[in-house]
Amino acid sequence: AQSVTQPDIHITVSEGASLELRCNYSYGATPYLFWYVQSPGQGLQLLLKYFSGDTLVQGIKGFEAEFKRSQSSFNLRKPSVHWSDAAEYFCAVIYNFNKFYFGSGTKLNVKP
Amino acid sequence: DAMVIQNPRYQVTQFGKPVTLSCSQTLNHNVMYWYQQKSSQAPKLLFHYYDKDFNNEADTPDNFQSRRPNTSFCFLDIRSPGLGDAAMYLCATSRGQRGSTDTQYFGPGTRLTVL
């Protein structure tokens, strides 16, 4: 069965520090992977996506993610976190054509 | 700007009183989705329309219905809201080209409160 696991429910980092949010997937075929960000009370905004090609993908707001097939992972990274990055982050995989399966989310808190 | 619009942003209804949430899009996308997101949980797909074809998730309660009168608009009807239906309802769209995999674009959501 397809699944997406985000092992960290909450993460706190200091402003200016680096960030890595973990995402592992279980899917038999070639995955199509996404990271979305959700600010409180808002909808989901697409950060980046991986369909094929270069396994390191660049997104908006200075985020990047690396697809590692051997580890079934698609971790999100940012070299220097800003206070405005505090939000909830969702990893998602597409299965069955257009149907998304979301991870449970990671809430990011940024300390000043 | 082209976008996915949801109205209202906040909706309060009474237990058992029917309520309708609205979604419109200017992206001219074929597919429209409705998700339910409860506090601190991932969005859960309720159903989606591929053009006029309605696709219901197996575990979506009968209390939830949807209408898509045209390409731009899609409505979520909750016939008899219960306290457990209080949630954020997210609308999303995708291009829906056959045989391709599409990004989904989300609206800002409607926060439903049931009193």
Side-chain angles (χ1 to χ4, degrees):
Chain A
Q2 301 86 353
S3 68
V4 178
T5 302
Q6 292 180 246
D8 304 305
I9 299 173
H10 288 97
I11 282 185
T12 297
V13 299
S14 298
E15 191 168 15
S18 64
L19 171 71
E20 183 168 27
L21 302 182
R22 296 183 290 167
C23 174
N24 294 95
Y25 67 91
S26 171
Y27 185 55
T30 301
Y32 298 93
L33 296 156
F34 301 77
W35 276 101
Y36 283 85
V37 60
Q38 186 177 35
S39 297
Q42 302 296 317
L44 278 72
Q45 182 182 20
L46 178 68
L47 284 176
L48 46 78
K49 60 187 177 184
Y50 172 78
F51 283 7
S52 65
D54 192 345
T55 55
L56 183 64
V57 293
Q58 303 296 321
I60 62 171
K61 303 184 180 186
F63 285 91
E64 66 178 25
E66 186 171 13
F67 170 60
K68 293 185 178 180
R69 184 184 297 275
S70 62
Q71 298 178 18
S72 298
S73 69
F74 188 57
N75 293 349
L76 182 71
R77 301 193 294 247
K78 186 169 185 178
S80 178
V81 170
H82 189 261
W83 64 266
S84 61
D85 294 324
E88 189 158 18
Y89 293 80
F90 290 94
C91 181
V93 62
I94 279 185
Y95 70 98
N96 192 14
F97 186 39
N98 271 312
K99 295 175 71 171
F100 271 40
Y101 194 97
F102 285 92
S104 54
T106 298
K107 286 187 177 177
L108 173 64
N109 183 38
V110 179
K111 292 190 301 184
Chain B
D1 289 343
M3 59 176 57
V4 181
I5 303 161
Q6 291 188 245
N7 286 305
R9 294 293 311 279
Y10 301 91
Q11 177 74 58
V12 180
T13 191
Q14 292 179 329
F15 182 93
K17 185 175 181 180
V19 66
T20 296
L21 309 183
S22 170
C23 177
S24 63
Q25 53 121 346
T26 59
L27 297 159
N28 203 33
H29 282 175
N30 286 329
V31 192
M32 295 187 77
Y33 308 80
W34 278 106
Y35 289 86
Q36 180 192 63
Q37 185 182 24
K38 295 190 176 180
S39 182
S40 300
Q41 295 184 21
K44 178 181 179 296
L45 182 64
L46 294 173
F47 25 60
H48 73 279
Y49 272 95
Y50 193 107
D51 197 7
K52 296 180 182 179
D53 296 330
F54 178 70
N55 299 272
N56 198 34
E57 292 302 296
D59 57 354
T60 297
D62 293 339
N63 197 27
F64 291 86
Q65 305 286 322
S66 185
R67 296 170 285 134
R68 190 179 185 186
N70 53 54
T71 300
S72 300
F73 284 87
C74 194
F75 300 99
L76 169 62
D77 300 309
I78 308 177
R79 292 190 297 185
S80 181
L83 297 179
D85 296 328
M88 174 77 89
Y89 290 88
L90 297 168
C91 175
T93 73
S94 66
R95 285 182 304 171
Q97 292 178 315
R98 293 283 183 188
S100 70
T101 302
D102 286 330
T103 301
Q104 291 189 14
Y105 298 89
F106 285 80
T110 295
R111 171 75 64 187
L112 177 67
T113 299
V114 182
L115 301 178

